Amino acid sequence: MLVRQNVLIIVFFGMVLSGFIYLNNIQCICNQQIIEQGLKCNQQITEQGIIKPKWKPKIIELRSSPGLLYNKPSVVAGRTDVASVSPWSAPIIWEGTFDSTLIDSIYKQQHLTIATTVFALGKYTRFVKDFLESAEQHYFVGFRVHYYLFTDQPESIPKVKIGENRSLTIEKVPTMNRWQDISMNRMEKLEKLIENELFNEADYIFCLDIDGKFYGRWGAETLGRLVGVLHPWLFNVPRNQFTYERRPESKAYIPVEEGDYYYAGAAFGGFLEDVHLLTKTCREHLKIDAANSIEAVWQEESHLNKYFLLNKPSKLLSPEYMWRDVNEKSALIKIVRYTNVPKNYAEVRPNP
């Protein structure tokens, strides 16, 4: 009798286990069908069911090449006229704070790819040639660079010779009637570009304005997890003079007594996943503001500054990397690396 009971118990649990296995197989088949129908092989589903890009693995090691010769570092000499570190210990990059020979030795052996985005809509296509030609001379020389140019006039983009291991992709976007709308829509375009094309292709991304020109090195010293650039007009003024969004109704609101630095919307970058979160957050906040009939004073730049206030950049670039005019001088600026091109805004913008 006891043997029969044991047999029945074993059979019962065997049936239950078979049922679980069957249900699990059905679930796996359904999940596979979902993947085949709608998901790309480069994405994964988290336990919460959220689809996320599978970011390119990071192997960032600060290895120097054997036998490399460079100037001896000093702990007592260097730039004394500017701050070279933020209050949260992020480096601030100025001429005289890094050794380009050592930096290049460390990063070139990692075979990095740097995605770089620019927008050239309307009359701003006139700046493409100078931007690309100067970038080919000074921007991440010796690295793989992939430029992504967003424009509403692909036929107006001039032919520019791009060097070895460097490429240009032109993405067509709709024409917009307000420069403010162009500005505000950039975050969404960047977010989608990272999600759909870059997530497993590049190591870093920099988002730059097209109406600029390179005059000096912009290299591996700028690489970091999340990188902001100090605004050339506001890098040396009190925080109460920063042109933050001051209306509490806006998601970009920063009170007068708060703020670290004022960052330029014309240049920012970092790891893909970090810039993706930045662009996604700014896009969401821009949308909330729009639903409440609010437009931040400097559109996406205002939201960028709010993001950097709450999510500190891991590296800051001095105004050498986003200067206002190559002909303007400042005792603190030893070299102009990238600068705004003087222009008549009333003539190149579609609206005041």
Side-chain angles (χ1 to χ4, degrees):
M1 187 67 177
L2 181 61
V3 172
R4 285 186 60 192
Q5 288 178 342
N6 289 340
V7 170
L8 288 173
I9 291 172
I10 292 171
V11 170
F12 174 77
F13 280 107
M15 293 174 65
V16 172
L17 180 61
S18 299
F20 279 127
I21 293 173
Y22 174 78
L23 291 174
N24 184 65
N25 287 338
I26 292 295
Q27 184 178 15
C28 290
I29 293 170
C30 291
N31 287 343
Q32 182 62 34
Q33 289 175 343
I34 292 172
I35 291 172
E36 292 174 352
Q37 292 173 7
L39 301 179
K40 296 179 181 179
C41 62
N42 49 32
Q43 293 179 326
Q44 59 185 356
I45 302 179
T46 67
E47 293 179 357
Q48 293 75 26
I50 301 172
I51 300 171
K52 292 185 177 180
K54 189 179 293 183
W55 305 109
K56 191 174 181 181
K58 301 291 184 301
I59 307 176
I60 307 300
E61 299 175 329
L62 301 182
R63 291 186 179 180
S64 179
S65 301
L68 181 69
L69 300 178
Y70 53 92
N71 294 329
K72 179 185 179 300
S74 173
V75 295
V76 296
R79 291 291 293 266
T80 59
D81 55 338
V82 294
S84 58
V85 64
S86 76
W88 56 92
S89 297
I92 305 175
I93 308 302
W94 299 84
E95 177 69 6
T97 63
F98 65 92
D99 188 306
S100 59
T101 301
L102 179 57
I103 287 284
D104 283 347
S105 169
I106 290 171
Y107 284 95
K108 282 187 177 179
Q109 61 185 307
Q110 297 179 30
H111 308 293
L112 302 171
T113 298
I114 295 93
T116 303
T117 64
V118 287
F119 287 73
L121 278 72
K123 295 180 180 179
Y124 275 71
T125 55
R126 69 181 63 177
F127 302 114
V128 171
K129 188 173 187 293
D130 272 354
F131 176 90
L132 289 176
E133 287 183 345
S134 63
E136 286 299 285
Q137 295 176 19
H138 301 291
Y139 182 73
F140 283 108
V141 175
F143 288 83
R144 289 197 298 266
V145 173
H146 194 153
Y147 304 103
Y148 290 85
L149 172 61
F150 294 86
T151 181
D152 57 344
Q153 302 174 52
E155 68 284 355
S156 299
I157 302 302
K159 299 292 184 181
V160 175
K161 184 178 180 181
I162 304 297
E164 185 179 0
N165 292 323
R166 300 164 81 90
S167 58
L168 170 64
T169 296
I170 298 175
E171 304 264 357
K172 193 175 189 309
V173 294
T175 299
M176 296 182 182
N177 296 324
R178 299 171 68 243
W179 67 265
Q180 294 92 340
D181 292 332
I182 296 171
S183 175
M184 290 189 291
N185 277 273
R186 288 200 311 171
M187 290 299 184
E188 182 175 3
K189 295 296 183 185
L190 295 172
E191 176 191 357
K192 299 307 179 186
L193 176 71
I194 294 172
E195 287 180 3
N196 298 332
E197 297 187 41
L198 300 185
F199 57 90
N200 201 31
E201 298 297 327
D203 300 281
Y204 294 89
I205 182 172
F206 277 95
C207 311
L208 306 177
D209 272 5
I210 193 66
D211 56 337
K213 185 175 180 179
F214 294 90
Y215 286 89
R217 170 195 170 95
W218 180 313
E221 73 280 358
T222 65
L223 295 175
R225 180 186 57 80
L226 188 61
V227 182
V229 183
L230 302 182
H231 199 286
W233 294 104
L234 300 169
F235 73 97
N236 198 25
V237 303
R239 64 157 62 113
N240 62 5
Q241 294 182 26
F242 292 166
T243 56
Y244 290 150
E245 173 54 57
R246 301 301 190 186
R247 291 171 294 174
E249 297 81 10
S250 172
K251 296 292 289 184
Y253 169 63
I254 299 177
V256 175
E257 64 274 11
E258 295 184 27
D260 301 314
Y261 306 97
Y262 192 90
Y263 300 94
F268 59 91
F271 283 154
L272 291 180
E273 54 264 54
D274 290 274
V275 176
H276 177 260
L277 181 57
L278 181 158
T279 56
K280 180 176 184 290
T281 302
C282 289
R283 188 262 304 164
E284 290 173 346
H285 289 178
L286 283 159
K287 186 176 181 180
I288 292 171
D289 271 9
N292 293 321
S293 301
I294 300 172
E295 184 176 291
V297 60
W298 289 111
Q299 294 80 42
E300 97 283 12
E301 183 175 86
S302 297
H303 289 274
L304 175 77
N305 273 275
K306 179 62 175 288
Y307 187 87
F308 278 155
L309 174 62
L310 302 179
N311 305 270
K312 309 297 190 191
S314 63
K315 183 173 288 186
L316 287 71
L317 306 185
S318 72
E320 298 169 358
Y321 293 86
M322 185 62 252
W323 193 234
R324 48 197 180 222
D325 184 347
V326 70
N327 296 313
E328 285 197 28
K329 305 300 179 184
S330 169
L332 300 178
I333 306 299
K334 307 300 182 184
I335 179 174
V336 173
R337 304 179 187 278
Y338 179 65
T339 180
N340 185 272
V341 175
K343 65 191 75 66
N344 180 354
Y345 285 105
E347 193 270 329
V348 297
R349 286 177 170 174
N351 63 291

